[in-house]
Amino acid sequence: MHVEKAKYYLKWSYAETPYFAYGEEYFEDVNNVFLERMRKLRTEEERDNEIQLRINSMEKVMHNLDMDGMFGQGKERLGIVINAEVMPPDFTNTERALRLNPREALDEWLEEIAEV
């Protein structure tokens, strides 16, 4: 595959970011808690609610980190898109991206991959 074409397809890939699985070795206990919580859920509605709780929590954490300047400030902040996403992608990813990022940071993201 041509390098430029590959760059285009990988540009927004969550799995290709340098932050993917960053520090996962520190989350073994959390993973075990999550697995145990899922085992206790009996209905599809309970599972959906658990997933919604998790994604909302991730969004809140990303927001708090952003407010602390973790992703830069001013012009520097406009060079990164942060999000808490579900896979396969759906419109809720776009809604969270709009809440988590300055609008100017999202121009390319919205044009190229946002789900509506």
Side-chain angles (χ1 to χ4, degrees), residues 8-113:
Y8 176 81
Y9 285 109
L10 297 175
K11 179 178 182 178
W12 302 110
S13 171
Y14 73 92
E16 299 304 321
T17 176
Y19 304 110
F20 178 72
Y22 178 80
E24 71 180 338
E25 65 272 17
Y26 302 109
F27 290 93
E28 186 175 339
D29 291 342
V30 173
N31 246 356
N32 291 335
V33 169
F34 282 176
L35 289 172
E36 188 57 33
R37 284 176 62 107
M38 288 304 278
R39 283 189 199 104
K40 293 178 181 179
L41 304 176
R42 299 289 173 231
T43 68
E44 191 68 30
E45 182 180 2
E46 288 176 334
R47 287 187 282 278
D48 289 345
N49 289 340
E50 176 70 13
I51 290 166
Q52 194 60 49
L53 172 72
R54 292 179 190 190
I55 199 76
N56 290 344
S57 297
M58 287 185 271
E59 178 182 357
K60 181 68 175 167
V61 167
M62 296 298 283
H63 171 78
N64 290 347
L65 290 171
D66 192 30
M67 294 299 98
D68 287 345
M70 176 75 164
F71 307 109
Q73 296 178 351
K75 196 170 188 170
E76 181 184 43
R77 174 59 180 89
L78 299 179
I80 187 170
V81 173
I82 62 171
N83 209 354
E85 297 180 321
V86 296
M87 291 307 256
D90 66 22
F91 71 95
T92 65
N93 288 348
T94 302
E95 292 173 338
R96 280 186 296 280
L98 288 167
R99 287 191 298 266
L100 285 169
N101 295 278
R103 180 61 178 79
E104 311 86 83
L106 291 174
D107 290 341
E108 285 182 66
W109 188 88
L110 288 167
E111 183 179 314
E112 294 179 7
I113 67 157

